[in-house]
Amino acid sequence: EEHAPLNDWRRTLHVAITGFTLSGPISHAWYAILESIVTIQHRHLGMVVRMVLDALLFSPIAVACYFIWRAALEGEGPKRIAARLRTMWAGALVASWTFWPLANVINFGFV
């Protein structure tokens, strides 16, 4: 009986490439933009505004870009990428809204 490998190294490589070439750079740029446009002095209100802008403006684009980038790395063409976005984007966006608010409280509140 053949066992599945403990780690899919190709997938791991694709996720790493995506992080280094897409997620890291666009997140860094986005957070710099947020810091420059949200100038509210009240700490908590500023954090809430950043969180709302992040969820409504950045997350939809970032999630779509993630799927496009990963699909391209896997050799998928435009039709398959569009199909992947149609079937997975909305669910992934909602999932991001359940994780990132807490992460952003830490990010915007303490970093």
Side-chain angles (χ1 to χ4, degrees):
E1 179 179 335
E2 198 171 310
H3 295 283
L6 293 176
N7 193 6
D8 180 346
W9 291 106
R10 185 177 185 162
R11 182 172 185 259
T12 301
L13 177 63
H14 288 174
V15 171
I17 290 169
T18 302
F20 284 120
T21 62
L22 175 76
S23 302
I26 67 170
S27 295
H28 176 77
W30 171 244
Y31 292 139
I33 291 167
L34 270 182
E35 287 299 316
S36 69
I37 64 173
V38 179
T39 58
I40 298 168
Q41 295 301 313
H42 189 275
R43 180 178 178 180
H44 294 105
L45 181 58
M47 180 173 40
V48 169
V49 170
R50 283 186 204 83
M51 289 173 62
V52 168
L53 291 174
D54 186 73
L56 297 180
L57 298 180
F58 182 69
S59 290
I61 295 166
V63 169
C65 288
Y66 179 84
F67 280 118
I68 293 167
W69 209 262
R70 287 289 313 281
L73 286 171
E74 293 169 11
E76 294 182 5
K79 288 183 181 180
R80 180 68 187 115
I81 292 171
R84 185 184 285 207
L85 287 171
R86 278 192 303 276
T87 59
M88 300 177 74
W89 175 80
L93 179 61
V94 170
S96 79
W97 289 337
T98 64
F99 171 77
W100 284 108
L102 178 58
N104 282 336
V105 165
I106 296 166
N107 185 31
F108 300 143
F110 301 106
V111 178

